[in-house]
Amino acid sequence: MTRTFRATLLAAAGIAAVPAAAQSDAAKRFGAREQVISATISPDGNHYAAVLATAGRKSVAIVGDVAATATLKPILQSSGAPERLTDCNWATNARLVCGIYAIDGKGSAALGFTRLFALDPDGSKLKLISAKSSLDSLGIMQNGGQVIDWYGDESGGSLLMLRQFVPEKTTGTYTASALNGYGLERIDPVTFRRTVVETPRPEIEEFITDGHGTVRIMGVRPQDSAGYGKTFINYMFRKPGERSWNKLSTVTGDSQTRIGFDPYAVDRDLNVAYGFDVQNGRSALFKMALDGSGKRDIVYGRPDVDIDGLVRIGRQRRVVGVTFATDRRETAFFDPELKRLQAALSKAIPELPLIRFIDASADEKKLLLWAGSDVDPGRYLVFDKSNRHLDLLLPARPQLEGFTLAPVKAITYAAADGTKIPGYLTVPAGKDAKNLPTIVMPHGGPSARDEWGFDWLAQFFAARGYAVLQPNFRGSSGYGDSWFQENGFRSWKTAIGDVNDGGRWLVKEGIADPKRLAIVGWSYGGYAALQSPVLAPDLFKAIVAIAPVTDLATLREEHRDFSDFRLVDTFIGRGDHVKEGSPAQNVAAIKAPVLLFHADQDRNVGIGESRMMASRLRNAGKQVELVEYKGLDHQIDDSDARIAMLDKADTFLRTTLGIEGP
């Protein structure tokens, strides 16, 4: 295998990669957003398209020649205020479909909107392909559509697009539409002719095709009398060549857990659906026959961790393997050729052991890959099977090129009850893990987990001299039902106890200076940071919480006017834990200074939760500061804002913990 890394000239797309010498400040390097937002390769394999982050919250869509990666052409730009480019995909060799996302409103009242556009690879013939809203509409069309199947040959074809239909008022008109809910349309990306192929219904949640333009599975979530979605989905399937629906499975669960055969893909040739279900307390991949027999077989499972993803490839998105995380992310391929390629790539680029297949040409002879590690933020590559060349297209984070990053080590520590808690320890490059200023950084979710690899927030703090522990406390996903407990809110005492025990372990092992031990978290991690003093008020000497949940009852009410209210209500639950597990209800336990960050268009956690927390801390005579960001959402996806946030957090921690030096 020949490996040729050709540097891409970002300036050709109007994107200046700042030289390393000019970015001596760690906040500028790590606060800059990841350059590549999305990337895809054309059906003939000759071109690629990517959406790249530029200054602040701006972005640009570019098209490049795979054989001459220095030739880039910007075709679409976004200010990020409010619209932002999300992705561009090839409908045909001569037509792209790009998506934008925008938020309107503030706090829990903010609404997200998506729209899709089609354009030529040179940026011309731009046209909206999302359905247009009507002045007679009786509701708001937030979802501008989602392409679920790209089919046809390389020069032409159609799109199957999930569409939100909004009914119209009928007074004084004979042309008003009564269609309501999600349905499916077939759209020609050149002529824009659109045909309804699946009639919309309010209860429809999703459709799954066979990758060749035929709908085989439908998911229906019934609604109660108040219009809220119920806590289960009924999945139906069609036999080959038939239009009638048959019962496949029922999936129950709240907003972050699902129980039952949960279909994700259809294999037309095998006439089966691939989906996930629980086996021996852990998620495994199964296949179920779509012939009415109900025959179900396990495809892949493990006794130690959940199988949490499918590996799919090509324009038909065929299933070729599964992915899961032990100490690090792994892939098990079913496809013999890809299994051999995986082994060859591991030998060719051993320094980049994390490899993901992003896209492929129609004949699958050219593959678009991402490869990275703990000390490499990753790079996008094209592998050509015909000549076995591996060529670089784009680095994920050019600001960090040539910067020495800190290695990440998988560790375990004992919780108070003796349970071994897995996690990751990052120690500043070139330093011994002894008596360091240290941060415990619990992940978001709570239905999530940290993994081995590059983490921009952890690496920033390591670059500033901190050791960082990222614990996968009980309540994290990926380790099975018993580890997940009742989730990190209802089982908060166990989850927060594990987080705090991580801090105690750092001190016991001599890694952390007990007087310079802090906790930093984002979203649920911010909740954990603020809730940690309820169980251990003297453990952490400083608290930084970004977009945190601070009151469970408030979080529930933020969803009152949305269809997912029953799911969120079930996830949070009812009982004493709602008050006991809410930081804003327990400010008396907090002794350490607190720094809060929150954006005013956060649709995950309303900014009112941080405002409430700050107000109650001030009224209790506690030290607190809240930094607000206007026009941004939960991810604070703006390089300028992130750079300022990192600087502010670092200054706060160094001042509070008494860390000397720049």
Side-chain angles (χ1 to χ4, degrees):
M1 178 182 296
T2 302
R3 178 175 61 167
T4 307
F5 282 179
R6 290 193 293 256
T8 300
L9 300 181
L10 301 183
I15 310 154
V18 181
Q23 294 202 355
S24 58
D25 180 29
K28 290 181 180 179
R29 290 180 179 269
F30 292 97
R33 294 180 297 155
E34 182 172 345
Q35 175 184 236
V36 183
I37 298 173
S38 74
T40 183
I41 194 168
S42 62
D44 61 12
N46 293 331
H47 296 87
Y48 69 97
V51 176
L52 307 181
T54 56
R57 64 188 72 175
K58 297 177 181 179
S59 55
V60 60
I62 59 98
V63 170
D65 189 327
V66 170
T69 55
T71 306
L72 302 180
K73 179 179 177 58
I75 60 169
L76 200 59
Q77 298 187 35
S78 167
S79 68
E83 82 292 340
R84 61 200 72 178
L85 282 166
T86 56
D87 61 316
C88 287
N89 293 281
W90 297 88
T92 67
N93 290 323
R95 204 73 173 143
L96 285 159
V97 173
C98 298
I100 63 168
Y101 170 69
I103 301 176
D104 183 38
K106 296 182 179 181
S108 59
L111 296 176
F113 295 84
T114 63
R115 294 294 184 266
L116 294 178
F117 295 83
L119 68 165
D120 285 355
D122 62 0
S124 65
K125 300 179 183 177
L126 176 70
K127 186 170 181 178
L128 178 72
I129 62 171
S130 295
K132 294 181 180 179
S133 298
S134 167
L135 294 176
D136 294 323
S137 295
L138 296 174
I140 300 173
M141 188 183 73
Q142 290 180 251
N143 191 331
Q146 177 186 353
V147 178
I148 66 169
D149 199 325
W150 312 78
Y151 65 100
D153 60 30
E154 298 179 11
S155 58
S158 298
L159 314 175
L160 278 183
M161 192 169 85
L162 187 70
R163 173 186 166 184
Q164 180 186 6
F165 289 78
V166 179
E168 300 170 351
K169 59 185 178 183
T170 57
T171 304
T173 179
Y174 294 100
T175 60
S177 172
L179 296 177
N180 185 24
Y182 283 105
L184 205 59
E185 287 187 320
R186 179 179 289 111
I187 300 176
D188 187 304
V190 178
T191 66
F192 298 99
R193 180 181 178 183
R194 54 201 318 137
T195 306
V196 175
V197 296
E198 296 292 343
T199 304
R201 290 164 45 189
E203 300 87 1
I204 290 176
E205 184 139 314
E206 68 174 318
F207 292 102
I208 301 174
T209 77
D210 63 358
H212 298 269
T214 301
V215 178
R216 297 295 305 277
I217 294 176
M218 175 176 66
V220 177
R221 185 185 294 276
Q223 297 179 347
D224 62 19
S225 58
Y228 294 130
K230 294 186 178 181
T231 57
F232 64 90
I233 302 176
N234 290 321
Y235 282 98
M236 317 295 288
F237 78 96
R238 284 176 174 150
K239 297 178 182 178
E242 296 185 3
R243 291 288 298 171
S244 60
W245 290 108
N246 307 277
K247 180 67 179 293
L248 179 69
S249 64
T250 296
V251 176
T252 61
D254 50 44
S255 61
Q256 297 197 32
T257 58
R258 291 163 77 94
I259 302 170
F261 179 75
D262 191 0
Y264 271 69
V266 170
D267 187 309
R268 181 183 67 173
D269 297 333
L270 296 178
N271 194 32
V272 299
Y274 288 103
F276 296 96
D277 202 352
V278 175
Q279 176 173 271
N280 299 325
R282 289 179 173 80
S283 176
L285 180 68
F286 292 82
K287 62 181 179 181
M288 183 173 287
L290 298 180
D291 58 4
S293 68
K295 186 176 185 298
R296 186 173 107 156
D297 298 297
I298 187 167
V299 178
Y300 200 92
R302 287 182 64 95
D304 51 348
V305 295
D306 293 329
I307 307 303
D308 56 16
L310 292 178
V311 181
R312 307 177 70 176
I313 199 168
R315 290 182 67 77
Q316 282 71 50
R317 307 299 295 155
R318 65 186 182 94
V319 176
V320 294
V322 294
T323 180
F324 52 91
T326 53
D327 283 347
R328 62 179 63 183
R329 176 64 51 179
E330 299 181 42
T331 298
F333 282 105
F334 312 144
D335 184 279
E337 183 183 15
L338 289 173
K339 189 173 183 178
R340 290 192 295 270
L341 177 58
Q342 179 189 41
L345 288 170
S346 297
K347 293 180 180 178
I349 47 174
E351 72 278 15
L352 301 173
L354 300 177
I355 297 173
R356 295 199 306 265
F357 289 86
I358 305 298
D359 198 8
S361 59
D363 60 9
E364 297 184 20
K365 291 183 178 179
K366 290 183 181 178
L367 305 177
L368 178 63
L369 317 171
W370 174 91
S373 73
D374 58 337
V375 294
D376 191 312
R379 48 207 67 235
Y380 289 79
L381 313 156
V382 169
F383 177 70
D384 190 332
K385 291 182 181 179
S386 62
N387 57 22
R388 297 184 65 79
H389 278 189
L390 185 64
D391 297 327
L392 174 67
L393 290 185
L394 295 163
R397 289 181 178 266
Q399 297 87 353
L400 292 172
E401 292 290 303
F403 190 88
T404 301
L405 299 175
V408 180
K409 179 182 179 182
I411 57 92
T412 60
Y413 62 87
D417 63 2
T419 301
K420 294 294 185 181
I421 309 299
Y424 299 93
L425 179 65
T426 305
V427 175
K431 289 192 176 182
D432 294 329
K434 296 295 180 184
N435 202 39
L436 295 170
T438 304
I439 293 169
V440 174
M441 197 167 76
H443 60 71
S447 182
R449 58 157 290 173
D450 276 315
E451 297 183 22
W452 183 87
F454 174 84
D455 183 301
W456 66 273
L457 200 55
Q459 286 289 342
F460 165 74
F461 286 118
R464 296 297 292 141
Y466 303 88
V468 181
L469 174 67
Q470 296 171 271
N472 281 325
F473 46 86
R474 281 170 286 185
S476 303
S477 61
Y479 297 94
D481 292 348
S482 62
W483 193 266
F484 187 70
Q485 302 273 295
E486 289 186 276
N487 76 50
F489 289 133
R490 289 194 290 185
S491 301
W492 74 268
K493 289 183 180 179
T494 301
I496 304 304
D498 289 351
V499 170
N500 289 346
D501 285 336
R504 296 187 182 98
W505 173 79
L506 289 163
V507 172
K508 180 182 178 182
E509 293 295 312
I511 298 168
D513 177 349
K515 296 180 180 179
R516 298 185 294 169
L517 181 63
I519 185 167
V520 177
W522 199 316
S523 193
Y524 178 86
Y527 162 86
L530 293 168
Q531 188 68 4
S532 63
V534 176
L535 298 183
D538 298 311
L539 180 61
F540 298 110
K541 312 308 179 188
I543 298 171
V544 178
I546 308 167
V549 172
T550 70
D551 187 77
L552 298 182
T554 300
L555 180 65
R556 187 200 320 274
E557 289 305 308
E558 288 174 2
H559 292 261
R560 174 72 66 176
D561 296 329
F562 296 90
S563 61
D564 67 350
F565 174 74
R566 298 293 182 216
L567 300 175
V568 176
D569 179 50
T570 301
F571 184 74
I572 293 172
R574 306 278 175 165
D576 294 341
H577 72 277
V578 175
K579 181 177 181 180
E580 294 172 354
S582 294
Q585 303 291 337
N586 296 278
V587 296
I590 298 177
K591 296 182 179 181
V594 175
L595 177 60
L596 301 167
F597 297 96
H598 217 126
D600 70 348
Q601 289 188 327
D602 193 327
R603 297 177 60 242
N604 296 60
V605 183
I607 194 172
E609 297 208 35
S610 281
R611 290 171 177 167
M612 176 199 302
M613 189 74 196
S615 176
R616 293 188 179 183
L617 284 168
R618 289 191 197 100
N619 291 339
K622 310 290 183 175
Q623 183 179 336
V624 61
E625 181 178 359
L626 169 60
V627 179
E628 299 187 10
Y629 296 106
K630 293 184 177 181
L632 293 173
D633 61 10
H634 194 64
Q635 304 303 324
I636 311 181
D637 197 20
D638 180 311
S639 294
D640 295 336
R642 287 186 175 186
I643 290 168
M645 182 179 72
L646 294 183
D647 266 333
K648 182 79 174 179
D650 184 37
T651 299
F652 167 78
L653 290 173
R654 300 179 87 81
T655 301
T656 305
L657 302 179
I659 300 173
E660 298 180 357

